[in-house]
Amino acid sequence: MSGPESFEERVEAVRARVAAACARAGRDPAGVEILAAAKNQGPDQVREAAAAGLHVVGENRVQEAAQKIPLCPGGLEWHLIGHLQTNKARHAVRLFQTIHSVDSERLIEALDEACDEEGVALPLFLEINVSGERSKWGFAPEAGLAALRKADGWRRIMPAGLMTVPPFTPDPEGARPYFKALRELRERWRDETGLGLEHLSMGMSGDFEVAIEEGATLVRLGTVLFGPRVSDWRRAAADEADA
């Protein structure tokens, strides 16, 4: 059986899967935001996402976002979901409305300073390495809690919640313990810090239904919406313009 062909059909299919996962968990689907992860997707694909009602768009790299955002429809909410180097904090503050991948106290300080200088407020997610993998970015859990205990001293940034990327597993069920662990950390840290930590950013194309069952409020979806990534949308756009 062939899959849905149009972008709208793919979005409808994803929304149905979100609703089914929410039903299994006794949750309201309105409590789950679909973020269109547009890494290596061009402005035309982002335009399709916007037309289909997806207005939160994720980007992995500051440089790519700087080139892409001016070519995309206005009114979108851009989130940085990839690793951010401290020396690019100011650029990120100018481009994004939320940052999911905050993984060090040094980066927190750089973002807070940049926001103060730019006169903006910025919600952020602390990325927590719940698996302990050395190949993964993110705070170790105890370091994440230590960072949150200092949130009263943040001037312009606000802790919106927690984010994680579990180890890859071909079976989505393999990710469940990591999603559950993040949810449990959030619940415990709410009590210990008094912070709301409203959101859990967890779940991607291969495991988002399990993430929703474990409490995700925001799922970062790329290939299930867009299909395979374009290797270089900028070169493809230039070739099309020259044709």
Side-chain angles (χ1 to χ4, degrees):
M1 179 183 294
S2 61
E5 294 182 358
S6 73
F7 196 93
E8 290 78 5
E9 288 172 325
R10 291 197 294 273
V11 172
E12 295 250 345
V14 166
R15 289 195 187 282
R17 292 171 64 183
V18 168
C22 286
R24 290 192 293 272
R27 299 182 59 194
D28 183 349
V32 179
E33 183 79 58
I34 297 172
L35 178 149
K39 177 181 178 181
N40 290 345
Q41 302 293 340
D44 288 345
Q45 286 71 40
V46 174
R47 197 170 294 112
E48 282 189 301
L54 300 180
H55 299 297
V56 180
V57 181
E59 188 54 71
N60 281 60
R61 299 184 181 91
V62 170
Q63 184 175 359
E64 183 169 346
Q67 296 175 348
K68 187 185 299 183
I69 291 174
L71 304 176
C72 292
L76 298 176
E77 185 177 322
W78 290 86
H79 291 207
L80 181 65
I81 58 177
H83 176 65
L84 176 62
Q85 295 176 327
T86 304
N87 62 1
K88 294 182 179 177
R90 183 166 285 101
H91 296 294
V93 163
R94 292 171 179 167
L95 290 168
F96 298 100
Q97 286 76 58
T98 301
I99 296 179
H100 290 232
S101 47
V102 177
D103 58 8
S104 71
E105 291 203 36
R106 185 170 170 232
L107 179 56
I108 289 173
E109 293 168 2
L111 288 168
D112 203 21
E113 180 179 349
C115 286
D116 201 37
E117 291 177 0
E118 295 291 326
V120 298
L122 186 72
L124 56 80
F125 289 75
L126 261 59
E127 182 173 1
I128 308 299
N129 184 352
V130 292
S131 68
E133 288 180 285
R134 293 187 178 182
S135 61
K136 288 280 196 306
W137 300 103
F139 284 98
E142 62 274 12
L145 176 58
L148 288 173
R149 290 189 185 282
K150 301 176 183 178
D152 284 346
W154 300 351
R155 292 165 292 179
R156 293 276 190 165
I157 55 177
M158 302 163 288
L162 307 178
M163 176 265 216
T164 199
V165 180
F168 172 76
T169 170
D171 180 358
E173 283 295 326
R176 189 181 296 276
Y178 305 101
F179 297 146
K180 180 181 179 183
L182 191 71
R183 172 173 51 79
E184 291 175 345
L185 286 174
R186 192 268 298 268
E187 292 168 357
R188 191 167 80 240
W189 293 355
R190 276 175 161 174
D191 293 337
E192 294 184 20
T193 66
L195 298 171
L197 300 176
E198 181 180 357
H199 294 289
L200 291 175
S201 171
M202 59 188 194
M204 296 184 287
S205 290
D207 55 22
F208 70 93
E209 290 152 301
V210 173
I212 290 169
E213 291 170 5
E214 291 298 334
T217 64
L218 193 150
V219 290
R220 310 180 302 271
L221 307 184
T223 55
V224 72
L225 293 172
F226 294 103
R229 291 172 178 167
V230 178
S231 59
D232 191 340
W233 64 266
R234 290 152 293 193
R235 177 175 297 177
D239 291 345
E240 183 177 339
D242 292 340

